[in-house]
Amino acid sequence: MTTTGDAAPPVGRQRYRLSQSFRYDYDGPVLSLLHRLVVVPPRRHGDQHLRLGALQVADHSAQVEWTGDEHGNRVGLVRLAVVPESVQMHVSVVVERHGEAAPLEVGLLGDPRLLGPSLKTGPDDAIRRLARDLVGREDDALAAADRVCAAVKELVRYEKGATTVATTAAQALAGGAGVCQDQTHVMLSVLRVAGIPCRYVSGHLVGQGGTHAWVEVLVPHASGARAVAFDPTHARRAHDGYVTVAVGRDYVDVPPTSGWYSGDARGTLSGRRELVREDLPGVETPAAAAGTGPDLRRSA
């Protein structure tokens, strides 16, 4: 496998190696599969730099296309005309974190996608009351986000199986339980009611077994805007153990894996994930000439 810029990092540089596998098993014939993967980070996000993004599809007839979306995310599309009983995909990612965070466009501060309700974050009266209780008119956005982050952890306890991917922020708050995406949706909904621009983050947390979700709050910066990350699942600001894969209005924009096919068969998903962080001193080496985009490899 060819790496891109996979060389000794400078002092203070951190490297993250992600290995992730997906397997779909089907109980009947499946045709015309289009599978969407949002599992490889963009070339740069904040102080995070992509060094390798590789996808292996265990079917030589698979067609793979890499594209982007309106939020700047990297999207992989896998197509199969005739689908075998199982489809296996493996993703390898190497990310390095160093230097200053890249500034964001100032226009994001007024972006209606980050200020208005989305499919999963539409507010109800309970969310509006929570916004009034937690955020004052003259509040600093980050101080307000700290309060909302802490409150959401208490109001929506972490409980697997309490919700589904169809659950909205209002439903999760009313039920008082959910998983990271539900807590993130509630925080997004409250902040947007208060007029604070924010976005959903899909990524990984070192030491955690599955994909994680958290919030980025956008605030003014000398050269545009900057994003500050908050994790309502743990009631804290995100630290360097977090690796961002994609951002959007809510989960609907960035599910790691989704797809469509023809046929009445049902598919069952299984998978595994490993994220390792390396703190290595050294001298910075620029990325290899091959670039930092995803690299497609197929294996039988």
Side-chain angles (χ1 to χ4, degrees):
M1 179 176 293
T2 302
T3 62
T4 55
D6 192 13
V11 174
R13 176 174 294 205
Q14 295 170 318
R15 180 177 295 159
Y16 305 78
R17 298 182 185 275
L18 172 67
S19 177
Q20 193 170 18
S21 294
F22 303 93
R23 178 187 172 111
Y24 278 89
D25 292 288
Y26 299 97
D27 61 7
V30 171
L31 301 173
S32 303
L33 172 72
L34 172 59
H35 202 83
R36 183 178 186 268
L37 293 168
V38 186
V39 292
V40 174
R43 179 170 299 185
R44 185 171 183 189
H45 182 86
D47 64 349
Q48 181 181 294
H49 303 256
L50 180 68
R51 294 307 187 208
L52 168 69
L55 171 64
Q56 295 174 316
V57 182
D59 190 311
H60 290 278
S61 66
Q63 297 180 345
V64 179
E65 174 189 358
W66 289 99
T67 184
D69 67 9
E70 63 178 300
H71 301 286
N73 300 315
R74 204 179 289 276
V75 179
L77 301 176
V78 178
R79 291 181 171 87
L80 277 167
V82 179
V83 182
E85 293 182 354
S86 66
V87 175
Q88 298 181 64
M89 294 169 281
H90 182 77
V91 179
S92 298
V93 168
V94 175
V95 165
E96 290 180 0
R97 173 170 282 128
H98 62 89
E100 296 293 327
L104 301 172
E105 295 181 6
V106 69
L108 288 173
L109 296 172
D111 192 327
R113 297 172 300 176
L114 308 184
L115 285 163
S118 62
L119 185 63
K120 299 300 180 186
T121 65
D124 63 358
D125 289 342
I127 285 178
R128 294 187 185 95
R129 285 195 299 272
L130 191 58
R132 289 195 297 269
D133 291 343
L134 294 174
V135 185
R137 290 187 177 181
E138 303 302 322
D139 258 349
D140 172 82
L142 298 183
D146 280 322
R147 287 199 299 278
V148 175
C149 185
V152 169
K153 184 179 188 298
E154 299 301 318
L155 295 169
V156 183
R157 70 182 182 278
Y158 189 91
E159 182 181 328
K160 289 184 177 181
T163 55
T164 71
V165 293
T167 301
T168 66
Q171 292 167 338
L173 180 61
V179 292
C180 58
Q181 74 183 41
D182 302 299
Q183 294 163 322
T184 295
H185 285 156
V186 173
M187 184 171 177
L188 290 170
S189 186
V190 172
L191 292 177
R192 288 172 182 168
V193 166
I196 297 174
C198 51
R199 56 191 182 184
Y200 184 101
V201 183
S202 175
H204 304 280
L205 177 57
V206 174
Q208 181 171 292
T211 301
H212 194 41
W214 59 95
V215 173
E216 280 187 347
V217 174
L218 278 68
V219 294
H221 185 271
S223 55
R226 69 184 178 102
V228 180
F230 295 80
D231 181 357
T233 301
H234 297 94
R236 67 191 181 197
R237 296 194 188 190
H239 50 64
D240 60 6
Y242 292 74
V243 175
T244 295
V245 171
V247 298
R249 293 164 295 182
D250 59 28
Y251 172 82
V252 174
D253 284 338
V254 290
T257 176
S258 60
W260 304 264
Y261 58 81
S262 297
D264 297 326
R266 297 186 63 181
T268 302
L269 172 64
S270 58
R272 65 174 184 83
R273 189 213 70 145
E274 182 182 25
L275 177 64
V276 176
R277 181 175 64 185
E278 304 170 359
D279 301 299
L280 301 174
V283 178
E284 183 172 358
T285 301
T292 56
D295 179 31
L296 172 63
R297 297 287 186 270
R298 294 184 182 141
S299 61

